[in-house]
Amino acid sequence: MVFFGFRTVVEGDRAIVTNVNGNARIVDGPARLTLFRSRIEYLIRHHAAQEEYLELQKIDGEKIVMMGPCSLFLHPLEHRYIATKRAILLNAGEAIVIYRTSSPSSKALSKEFASADSYNKPATALRTEVERVVQLGPSCYIPQPNEWLHEFTWHGTDPNNKTRKIAGALKFTKLRTIADQFYYNVQEVRTRDDTLLTVKLMIFIELQDLEMMLDQTHDPIADFINAAASDVVAFCGVYSYEEFLEHTTKLNDKETFTQLCARSKSIGYQINKVVFRGFHSSEALQAMHDRSIQERTRLRLETETEIQRQHHLDIKLQKEEERSERERQLELSKSEHKAELEKRRHDEEMSRRRDEDELSLEFHNKHLETDLIKWQRMNDLGVDVTQVLVAQSKIPDKHVRIDSGGVEGGKFKCDKE
C-alpha cells in the first residue's frame, strides 16, 4: 500500500493499480503514476517459444491453449495461472494416443449450472462423448484443453537385472511403432527328470495394429512373457536333461513358441524372431555340466591336434615320395640324355671313320689305276716291267729261296729269310 508516491511503469511492462475502495485498473507502460492510498502490482509476463505453448486457466475455470511463439501477462483478476509447457515432439516410428471430449464449452456449463438453484433444483447432467485419436510421428503436437494423453503402464526392466520384468515399472506416453526387442529369462523350468533350468531368451517384436493393441490388452509385455514362459515349460517338460541339451536349437525356431505367436497376433503384434541365449541350471549341476564340457572340449582338441599331426606327417611323407620320384625322374632323364649324347658321339665317330676309309680306299684305288695305266704304257713301249719293279725295290722285304736239288723223300726244301 502506497499512501502517497510516484511509480513508473516502463515500456513493455504492465501493472495493476488497486485503490482503497478495491477498484482496479490496468496500466501499460511507459507511464508515470501518482499513487494515493493505492497498491501497485507489476504483472508477470509468460513467454512461449516455437516448440512451446502457454496453458492458462481463467477464473471461471475455462482453459485456453496458446501456441508459441507468444507472450501473455498473468492477470490476477482474470487468470488463475499461466504455465509454459513444451510441445510433444514425435519422431518417426513414434505415436501417442489422444482422448478428446466433445462436450459443451465451459462457459455453457457455467451458465447452465448458474441458472439452476444449487440448493433446491439439481442441474441437468450433461453427456460427454470421448473420441480416441492416434497421432503418428514425425510431428509436433500441442494438447488442447479438451484432450488428454493415454499413459501406458507396462512391465518394465528391473534396473538391477535386465532379464527380469517388474509390473508397472515402465510408464510412458510415446509408443514406439518400429521393431523392438527385449530380454527375458524363464526361471525354474523343470525337465522330465526334474532338473531345474533357467532358459534365457531374446524376443524380437513389431507393432502391426495399434488400435487392436489398445482394444485387446493393457500390458503387451506381460502377455509376451507369460506366453513365452508357457511355451518354454511345455518344451522342456517332454525332454530329459540330456535330451534338452540335444534339442536346444529348436528354441531358436518360432514354430516352438506357438502360444507366444498366437497371443501376439491377437493383440496386434508380430513376433519376428526368438533367440535362445543359453540356459542356467543349479550350481552343482552346472559345475558337472561345465566339467563335462571341459572334458569333451579337451578330448576334441586332442583329437583335432592328433588329426592335424597325422595329416602333417602324411603330407610330409607324400611330399618326400614326390620329391624322391622327381629325383629319380631327373636322374633317369640325365642318364638318358648322357646315353643319347654318347650314342650321337659314337655315330659321329663311326661316320667320320667310314668317310675316312672310303676316302682312303678311293685314293688307293685311284693310285692303283694310275700305276696300272703307267705299267701298261711302259709294257706297250717294250719296257721290261719286271726289271723296273726289281730296280725300284732294291732291298726286298722278304727273300724266298727255292732249292730244287735238295729233295728229301720227294719233298721240296724251302728256306725263308
Side-chain angles (χ1 to χ4, degrees):
M1 176 69 70
V2 179
F3 183 77
F4 180 79
F6 301 94
R7 295 291 186 272
T8 301
V9 180
V10 300
E11 184 176 0
D13 283 352
R14 178 177 292 181
I16 182 171
V17 179
T18 307
N19 59 22
V20 70
N21 297 321
N23 298 323
R25 61 189 178 95
I26 297 295
V27 179
D28 293 324
R32 180 67 175 175
L33 303 177
T34 301
L35 302 179
F36 176 73
R37 300 178 66 185
S38 300
R39 181 169 56 88
I40 185 172
E41 180 182 356
Y42 292 94
L43 303 185
I44 301 173
R45 172 176 283 185
H46 295 266
H47 303 269
Q50 291 285 350
E51 298 176 354
E52 296 177 336
Y53 66 94
L54 293 179
E55 181 183 275
L56 62 96
Q57 185 178 17
K58 294 186 176 181
I59 297 298
D60 59 1
E62 181 184 4
K63 282 188 177 181
I64 299 176
V65 172
M66 299 179 61
M67 184 182 303
C70 63
S71 63
L72 184 67
F73 287 100
L74 177 61
H75 197 311
L77 301 180
E78 296 179 359
H79 305 145
R80 291 187 59 187
Y81 71 88
I82 297 178
T84 301
K85 296 185 178 181
R86 288 189 59 83
I88 300 176
L89 302 179
L90 297 177
N91 299 323
E94 293 181 339
I96 57 175
V97 180
I98 307 165
Y99 293 97
R100 181 180 301 147
T101 61
S102 58
S103 61
S105 63
S106 59
K107 289 185 177 179
L109 289 174
S110 61
K111 289 181 180 179
E112 181 170 348
F113 280 100
S115 62
D117 188 352
S118 59
Y119 294 98
N120 300 320
K121 183 181 178 182
T124 305
L126 297 177
R127 296 185 60 186
T128 302
E129 296 181 358
V130 179
E131 178 187 8
R132 186 175 66 192
V133 180
V134 176
Q135 180 72 32
L136 299 176
S139 63
C140 178
Y141 174 72
I142 296 177
Q144 298 302 312
N146 62 331
E147 296 177 347
W148 71 92
L149 299 181
H150 178 87
E151 184 178 14
F152 297 93
T153 304
W154 292 359
H155 275 66
T157 304
D158 187 352
N160 300 323
N161 185 3
K162 67 177 182 179
T163 61
R164 183 173 176 266
K165 300 298 179 182
I166 302 176
L170 184 60
K171 295 182 179 181
F172 59 95
T173 56
K174 292 183 182 180
L175 176 65
R176 284 191 292 183
T177 58
I178 58 177
D180 201 354
Q181 72 281 335
F182 64 91
Y183 297 93
Y184 183 63
N185 290 355
V186 184
Q187 300 180 354
E188 297 183 355
V189 181
R190 287 189 179 273
T191 60
R192 191 177 61 190
D193 53 359
D194 290 336
T195 302
L196 281 177
L197 301 175
T198 298
V199 180
K200 304 176 182 180
L201 300 176
M202 185 176 184
I203 303 175
F204 293 80
I205 59 176
E206 184 176 359
L207 181 61
Q208 298 290 325
D209 192 338
L210 179 55
E211 295 288 347
M212 181 183 294
M213 187 270 290
L214 294 173
D215 293 336
Q216 298 297 327
T217 182
H218 68 283
D219 189 352
I221 301 298
D223 296 339
F224 293 147
I225 62 178
N226 291 333
S230 177
D231 288 327
V232 171
V233 169
F235 176 81
C236 297
V238 297
Y239 295 122
S240 64
Y241 180 72
E242 296 296 332
E243 293 172 345
F244 171 78
L245 296 179
E246 297 176 359
H247 295 84
T248 51
T249 55
K250 292 183 179 180
L251 290 174
N252 289 311
D253 299 333
K254 287 199 304 182
E255 291 75 12
T256 305
F257 299 88
T258 56
Q259 299 185 49
L260 175 61
C261 294
R263 181 55 184 166
S264 62
K265 185 177 181 181
S266 66
I267 61 176
Y269 272 88
Q270 175 183 336
I271 301 298
N272 292 331
K273 185 168 58 174
V274 178
V275 177
F276 172 64
R277 301 187 302 111
F279 70 95
H280 182 75
S281 57
S282 63
E283 296 297 333
L285 184 60
Q286 188 65 34
M288 294 173 59
H289 182 59
D290 292 340
R291 287 195 297 271
S292 176
I293 292 176
Q294 292 176 1
E295 184 64 21
R296 288 198 302 268
T297 304
R298 185 184 63 81
L299 294 176
R300 185 175 67 253
L301 292 177
E302 290 180 355
T303 302
E304 292 177 356
T305 303
E306 184 64 23
I307 291 174
Q308 290 291 334
R309 191 177 69 83
Q310 295 296 331
H311 182 62
H312 177 71
L313 292 176
D314 293 340
I315 292 177
K316 184 177 180 181
L317 180 60
Q318 180 182 357
K319 295 301 180 181
E320 289 179 354
E321 291 179 355
E322 293 177 357
R323 190 178 297 107
S324 300
E325 182 65 23
R326 287 198 297 270
E327 290 177 354
R328 288 195 296 270
Q329 293 293 336
L330 183 60
E331 291 295 332
L332 181 60
S333 299
K334 289 182 179 180
S335 300
E336 291 178 353
H337 181 65
K338 185 176 181 180
E340 183 68 21
L341 292 178
E342 292 286 340
K343 182 180 179 182
R344 288 184 180 180
R345 283 197 295 269
H346 181 265
D347 292 342
E348 291 176 357
E349 182 68 20
M350 294 301 293
S351 177
R352 185 182 63 79
R353 289 183 180 182
R354 190 181 303 109
D355 294 340
E356 290 178 355
D357 292 342
E358 290 179 355
L359 290 175
S360 177
L361 180 60
E362 183 178 358
F363 178 78
H364 183 68
N365 290 335
K366 287 183 178 180
H367 183 70
L368 290 178
E369 290 178 358
T370 303
D371 290 343
L372 180 61
I373 293 173
K374 183 179 70 172
W375 302 131
Q376 287 180 354
R377 289 180 178 178
M378 292 177 65
N379 188 32
D380 293 340
L381 295 175
V383 179
D384 190 355
V385 178
T386 303
Q387 293 297 327
V388 175
L389 292 176
V390 171
Q392 289 180 352
S393 302
K394 295 181 179 182
I395 301 175
D397 295 332
K398 295 181 182 180
H399 292 274
V400 179
R401 189 181 67 182
I402 301 175
D403 191 359
S404 59
V407 179
E408 295 180 0
K411 298 182 179 178
F412 290 100
K413 183 178 180 181
C414 182
D415 296 331
K416 295 182 180 181
E417 294 181 359

